């Protein structure tokens, strides 16, 4: 317990908001039985099979419907449709399976792999890859349908592959063994003409390259060249920024395959892309793009406007207030990039969505960079240069804020690259609350409303970045005492600027983690804190009832850090008593042993060998309370420990139990020898 630990973002299986097939099919009755629809998949008419796939796809967006389809072997029924003679059937079948994987959750994805969905999926991916450049339709026919079937099928299939590989290690192993990398890379070469397909591929690549050493040998010089070409593409649209960000994340995942002589330049290129993404003001972009949408739609007749509104309403997964959140409950806490699922006339919304996903992705990768193991000296030898080290010293403060956030526990040279791209300053900017004008636009525009959650997610990721940076940097690199105090004021404003304390769990976890790391750093160097004990107590009292155990751990730790600093100040016994009573109550009543143990750790820190703390301990009768509590704590560990907590957590709890015994003995010694 005690010190906070860096959090590493693992790509979670974010759920798309319903991957509805692109081909328009007349709506069928939603109550049509699953068995009847599955039976129609065997119909000799391709149109009937396509209708059945499309109907199943729509129904699978509703989680309560999924069990009925699973009971009737929907995976084994739809799997062969991926290789149907009709291209339209292939696309709608892939879309239905994509929805099933997105909305069904981990267990459904595992079941899909067990039922061998990977065999037809891999065959489809390779077949599409081989035919990617062939004219599947005559130019005239392609113009008539305004569609490239092969690329659209590939996009659905890649998203299905992405989902199952994020959830199932067997799927990743099959990806490795079947040589899917080559086929997938062939798709991404289409980035200049089909950026949506390229983004889907980049998302999939980032997923399958994470913690996958078996795949590294597949990356040759030519594959690196493909990725670098995409990463350096000059297009400036938000979708291309997202694409470059995702490819940068993939290259970071496979950095072990980069020759040492090229690694320095590659790290700089990656950080430059992140800087480009984070430099854009998402709030201003929303305002600008919303205005652009209005201007574009002005010439439209009133009837056309009404029709557009009906389209938005019909696409309930994208427009309903809780549509996005409802579907996302299937597998993860975040969202996929769903820009390819938005209506084709929503290009401004697609751009903003892509920007927010790019910023979220960049921040998550930066967190992971901060949490990486230190590389070997050989890996970074090429980066070493006295000139760059001097530059690092010259850039000890970021522009505008006077604060250096020196990240990455790697090397001074990498720190320098980070600073040269002004990434720390941009991270700090992203921790602010979203633009109020942009929020108002989203609140009053149903199709833009899901952006609110995305903006809040970006803020939380930035706060987590801040937490990681604080953990891996020393005080001098952070800009000194004044910079840390300024940062404390900034975090204080985020917490206390509104009339009510924040309740959002994700925000609370991120802000309390950052605050905990900051207060630890300040306390270790005897830097005075800007928040009053009363403010921190108010935060703790409001947050201790959070359903998130990490939030509760953070707030009791924050109170322990603040109390241990306060104990060194004269005439603070009364405040220490309030802190002590709060921590003691948490330790006694908390349902989680981990949080209770953290509260005890905090008590030990506050009531250590300091005169004011001794006085407060006597007044609040801390010793008899702990002696009474000790056997109950031991019993809880013995009864609840096995099965509920990890081995690491049990080791920490055993340590807390031992420290409790020692602390009681120490308090008894004080009672026998009063000062």
């Amino acid at each position: 317990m005690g010190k906070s630990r860096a959090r590493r973002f693992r790509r979670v299986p974010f759920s798309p908001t319903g991957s509805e097939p692109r081909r328009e099919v007349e709506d069928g009755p939603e109550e049509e039985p699953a068995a009847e629809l599955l039976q129609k998949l065997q119909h000799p008419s391709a149109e009937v099979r396509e209708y059945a796939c499309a109907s199943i796809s729509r129904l699978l967006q509703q989680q309560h419907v999924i069990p009925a389809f699973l009971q009737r072997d929907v995976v084994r029924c739809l799997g062969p449709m991926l290789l149907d003679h009709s291209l339209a059937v292939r696309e709608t079948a892939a879309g239905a399976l994509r929805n099933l994987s997105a909305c069904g959750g981990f267990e459904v994805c595992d079941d899909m792999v067990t039922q061998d969905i990977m065999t037809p999926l891999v065959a489809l991916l390779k077949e599409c890859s081989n035919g990617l450049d062939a004219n599947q339709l005559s130019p005239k026919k392609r113009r008539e349908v305004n569609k490239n079937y092969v690329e659209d099928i590939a996009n659905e299939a890649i998203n299905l592959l992405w989902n199952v590989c994020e959830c199932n290690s067997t799927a990743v192993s099959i990806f490795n063994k079947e040589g899917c990398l080559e086929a997938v890379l062939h798709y991404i070469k289409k980035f200049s003409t089909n950026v949506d397909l390229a983004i889907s591929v980049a998302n999939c690549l980032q997923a399958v390259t994470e913690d996958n050493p078996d795949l590294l040998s597949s990356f040759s010089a030519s594959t690196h060249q493909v990725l670098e070409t995409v990463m350096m593409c000059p297009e400036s649209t938000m979708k291309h920024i997202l694409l470059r960000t995702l490819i940068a994340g993939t290259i970071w995942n496979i950095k072990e395959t980069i020759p040492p002589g090229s690694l320095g330049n590659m790290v700089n290129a990656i950080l430059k892309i992140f800087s480009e993404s984070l430099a854009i003001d998402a709030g201003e972009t929303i305002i600008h793009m919303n205005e652009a949408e209005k201007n574009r739609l002005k010439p439209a007749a009133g009837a056309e406007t009404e029709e557009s509104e009906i389209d938005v309403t019909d696409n309930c997964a994208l427009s309903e207030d809780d549509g996005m959140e409802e579907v996302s409950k299937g597998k993860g806490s975040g969202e996929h990039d769903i820009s390819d699922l938005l209506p084709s006339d929503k290009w401004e919304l697609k751009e903003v969505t892509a920007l927010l996903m790019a910023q979220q992705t960049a921040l998550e990768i930066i967190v992971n960079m901060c949490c990486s193991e230190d590389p070997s000296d050989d890996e970074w030898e090429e980066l070493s240069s006295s000139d760059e080290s001097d530059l690092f010293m010259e850039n000890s403060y970021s522009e505008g804020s006077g604060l250096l956030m020196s990240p990455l526990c790697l090397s001074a040279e990498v720190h320098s690259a980070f600073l040269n791209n002004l990434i720390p300053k941009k991270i700090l900017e992203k921790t602010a609350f979203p633009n109020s004008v942009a929020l108002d636009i989203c609140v009053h525009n149903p199709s833009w409303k899901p952006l609110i959650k995305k903006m809040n997610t970006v803020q939380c990721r930035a706060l987590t970045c801040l937490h990681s940076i604080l953990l891996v940097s020393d005080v001098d690199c952070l800009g000194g005492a004044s910079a840390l105090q300024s940062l404390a004021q900034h975090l204080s404003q985020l917490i206390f600027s509104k009339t009510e304390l924040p309740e959002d769990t994700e925000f609370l976890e991120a802000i309390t983690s950052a605050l905990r790391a900051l207060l630890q750093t300040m306390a270790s160097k005897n830097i005075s804190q800007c928040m009053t004990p009363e403010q921190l107590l108010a935060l703790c009292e409001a947050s201790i009832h959070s359903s998130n155990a990490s939030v509760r751990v953070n707030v009791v730790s924050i109170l322990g850090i603040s109390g241990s600093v306060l104990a060194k100040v004269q005439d603070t016994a009364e405040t220490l008593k309030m802190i002590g009573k709060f921590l003691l109550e948490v330790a006694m009543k908390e349902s989680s042993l981990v949080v209770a143990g953290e509260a005890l750790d905090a008590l030990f820190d506050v009531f250590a060998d300091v005169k004011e703390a001794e006085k407060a301990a006597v007044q609040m009768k801390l010793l008899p309370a702990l002696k009474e509590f000790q056997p109950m704590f031991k019993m809880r560990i013995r009864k609840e420990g096995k099965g509920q907590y990890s081995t690491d957590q049990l080791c920490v709890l055993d340590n807390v139990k031992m420290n409790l015994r020692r602390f009681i003995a120490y308090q008894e010694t004080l009672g026998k020898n009063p000062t």
Side-chain angles (χ1 to χ4, degrees):
M1 311 218 166
K3 294 222 174 208
S4 61
R5 299 177 63 185
R7 173 181 180 178
R8 185 172 187 270
F9 275 104
R10 299 187 63 84
R11 287 182 60 82
V12 294
F14 301 134
S15 301
T17 57
S19 52
E20 200 157 339
R22 309 298 189 276
R23 188 172 175 83
E24 293 296 328
V25 181
E26 292 184 7
D27 291 338
E30 288 192 359
E31 65 274 8
E32 190 161 8
E36 184 177 342
L37 286 172
L38 292 172
Q39 187 176 5
K40 286 181 179 178
L41 295 177
Q42 308 303 319
H43 198 280
S45 168
E47 290 186 357
V48 173
R49 296 197 302 276
E50 180 189 0
Y51 164 80
C53 288
S55 300
I56 292 169
S57 181
R58 289 191 178 91
L59 289 173
L60 290 175
Q61 294 179 40
Q62 307 170 49
Q63 289 182 341
H64 69 277
V65 174
I66 291 176
F69 280 95
L70 292 176
Q71 289 170 8
R72 292 169 174 82
D73 283 335
V74 64
V75 177
R76 295 190 189 278
C77 293
L78 282 173
M81 299 295 102
L82 294 177
L83 301 174
D84 194 275
H85 295 300
S86 166
L87 296 180
V89 172
R90 291 186 180 196
E91 184 185 358
T92 49
L97 287 164
R98 176 184 175 183
N99 279 353
L100 179 62
S101 66
C103 304
F106 287 99
E107 291 183 2
V108 169
C109 285
D110 287 339
D111 189 51
M112 293 175 78
V113 175
T114 301
Q115 296 191 42
D116 199 27
I117 193 59
M118 291 297 288
T119 296
L121 178 58
V122 169
L124 175 63
L125 288 166
K126 291 183 176 180
E127 189 174 323
C128 286
S129 177
N130 293 332
L132 198 61
D133 300 317
N135 284 327
Q136 299 292 330
L137 296 172
S138 67
K140 180 182 177 182
K141 184 67 175 176
R142 200 159 50 241
R143 284 195 299 271
E144 287 175 2
V145 299
N146 190 27
K147 188 173 185 64
N148 185 319
Y149 268 105
V150 174
E151 291 183 12
D152 290 345
I153 293 168
N155 191 41
E156 296 288 354
I158 286 291
N159 277 279
L160 171 58
L161 178 67
W162 172 21
N163 288 346
V164 294
C165 284
E166 279 187 328
C167 291
N168 186 277
S169 59
T170 302
V172 176
S173 297
I174 294 171
F175 182 97
N176 296 344
K177 293 174 184 176
E178 292 294 331
C180 294
L181 180 63
E182 183 180 353
V184 168
L185 286 173
H186 192 75
Y187 296 130
I188 209 166
K189 294 176 184 177
K190 289 287 183 180
F191 73 90
S192 60
T193 57
N194 192 337
V195 68
D196 287 329
L197 175 59
I199 287 171
S200 296
V201 172
N203 272 306
C204 185
L205 280 174
Q206 199 187 359
V208 298
T209 55
E210 185 173 19
D211 298 331
N212 186 5
D214 294 339
L215 187 61
L216 296 181
S217 60
S218 300
F219 284 90
S220 61
S222 60
T223 58
H224 279 289
Q225 188 174 8
V226 171
L227 295 176
E228 290 170 25
T229 299
V230 179
M231 194 172 77
M232 300 303 176
C233 67
E235 287 84 352
S236 59
T237 71
M238 303 304 168
K239 284 188 177 183
H240 285 89
I241 289 174
L242 172 59
L243 176 60
R244 287 193 290 271
T245 303
L246 290 166
I247 294 298
T250 298
I251 292 176
W252 176 259
N253 287 344
I254 62 168
K255 57 187 177 295
E256 290 86 355
T257 68
I258 300 173
S262 304
L263 191 54
N265 288 336
M266 189 55 66
V267 169
N268 275 286
I270 290 172
L271 294 176
K272 185 176 180 181
I273 287 169
F274 294 164
S275 177
E276 172 192 33
S277 168
L278 297 173
I280 301 172
D281 188 322
E284 291 297 325
T285 303
I286 288 174
I287 295 168
H288 170 73
M289 287 293 182
N290 183 255
E291 190 64 30
E293 182 184 69
K294 288 179 181 177
N295 291 335
R296 179 173 58 83
L297 296 176
K298 271 182 183 177
E304 290 176 339
T305 302
E306 290 176 11
E307 184 180 340
S308 173
E309 289 174 356
I310 292 172
D311 287 343
V312 171
T313 305
D314 286 345
N315 191 1
C316 59
L318 293 174
S319 63
E320 291 294 333
D321 292 359
D322 61 347
M324 179 175 291
E325 295 176 7
E326 185 175 323
V327 178
S328 71
K329 291 175 185 175
K331 295 196 303 179
S333 58
E335 310 92 32
H336 259 256
D337 166 43
I338 48 82
S339 57
D340 67 316
L341 305 176
L342 293 168
S344 58
D345 65 336
K346 294 287 182 182
W347 68 266
E348 296 92 352
L349 179 55
K350 287 185 177 185
E351 284 287 281
V352 179
T353 301
L355 171 63
L356 290 169
M357 289 306 301
Q359 293 183 342
Q360 176 181 332
T361 301
L363 291 165
E364 289 175 355
I365 297 168
I366 291 169
V367 170
N368 291 348
M369 293 171 95
C370 290
C371 299
S372 294
E373 294 181 0
D374 291 347
S376 67
D377 294 337
D378 292 339
E379 276 183 314
W380 297 105
E381 185 177 357
E382 187 270 335
L383 283 170
S384 299
S385 95
S386 58
D387 291 338
E388 287 182 340
S389 296
D390 291 340
L391 181 61
F392 169 70
M393 296 305 294
E394 290 169 6
N395 283 281
S396 290
Y397 294 87
S398 66
E399 293 182 6
S401 67
L403 173 65
L404 162 69
M405 313 277 259
S406 174
L408 308 183
C409 43
L410 299 177
S411 69
E413 289 73 26
V414 178
H415 288 175
S416 178
F418 213 78
L419 292 168
N420 289 341
N421 288 292
L422 293 179
I423 288 180
K425 178 178 179 250
K426 293 163 187 172
I427 291 172
L428 191 59
E429 290 169 353
K430 297 302 175 210
T431 63
F433 286 116
N435 184 307
S436 59
V437 177
L439 280 175
D440 190 62
I441 289 171
C442 296
V443 166
H444 294 95
N445 192 330
S447 58
W448 291 60
K449 204 165 189 177
L451 296 181
I452 297 173
K453 185 175 181 182
K454 291 180 180 297
M455 285 190 283
N456 290 334
T457 298
V458 168
Q459 181 193 26
C460 291
R461 296 297 187 269
L463 286 165
T464 304
C465 261
L466 187 59
H467 167 241
S468 297
I469 291 168
L470 286 163
L471 291 181
V472 301
S473 305
D474 59 39
V475 173
D476 291 335
C477 286
L478 291 168
S482 61
L484 292 179
Q485 288 174 329
S486 297
L487 180 56
Q489 289 176 343
H490 171 68
L491 295 181
S492 175
Q493 187 176 13
L494 290 178
I495 296 171
F496 299 109
S497 59
K498 298 184 178 180
T499 52
E500 294 183 358
L501 288 170
E503 295 181 357
D504 179 76
T505 299
E506 187 177 13
F507 175 77
L508 268 178
E509 182 177 2
I511 191 77
T512 55
S513 294
L515 181 59
R516 177 183 180 183
L518 176 62
L519 293 179
Q520 281 176 345
T521 302
M522 295 175 75
S524 67
K525 298 298 180 181
N526 296 319
I527 299 171
S528 59
Q529 300 175 9
C530 301
M531 297 185 193
T532 66
E534 289 74 21
Q535 283 181 314
L536 293 175
L537 265 171
L539 171 64
C540 294
E541 288 170 353
S543 305
I544 199 62
H545 303 294
S546 170
S547 59
N548 187 318
S550 295
V551 172
R552 305 199 302 274
V553 165
N554 284 338
V555 294
V556 295
S557 177
I558 285 169
L559 205 55
I561 296 165
S562 177
S564 64
V565 172
L566 191 67
K568 300 172 185 176
V569 182
Q570 286 188 346
D571 301 324
T572 56
E574 284 301 315
T575 307
L576 292 175
K577 276 170 56 181
M578 288 193 297
I579 293 173
K581 287 179 179 178
F582 179 87
L583 292 173
L584 186 60
E585 185 176 4
V586 171
M588 292 179 169
K589 297 182 179 180
E590 170 61 48
S591 59
S592 166
L593 275 174
V594 172
V595 181
E598 190 70 44
L600 286 171
D601 256 354
L603 265 175
F604 304 154
D605 290 339
V606 173
F607 293 94
D609 188 13
V610 183
K611 198 168 187 179
E612 287 294 320
E614 293 174 11
K615 189 191 305 182
V618 171
Q619 292 176 1
M620 65 177 286
K621 299 179 180 178
L622 179 61
L623 177 59
L626 288 177
K627 289 176 76 172
E628 182 180 351
F629 171 68
Q630 185 182 24
M632 292 185 288
F633 185 64
K634 286 182 179 179
M635 189 190 316
R636 280 195 65 189
I637 293 176
R638 191 165 55 249
K639 289 177 65 176
E640 301 173 24
K642 292 182 180 179
Q644 293 190 35
Y645 299 96
S646 67
T647 303
D648 288 343
Q649 288 173 326
L650 289 175
C651 287
V652 172
L653 287 169
D654 281 339
N655 193 47
V656 173
K657 181 175 67 175
M658 181 176 62
N659 287 339
L660 175 59
R661 187 182 72 246
R662 291 174 176 174
F663 186 78
I664 289 173
Y666 160 72
Q667 288 288 321
E668 288 175 334
T669 302
L670 290 179
K672 295 176 183 176
N673 303 292
T675 54

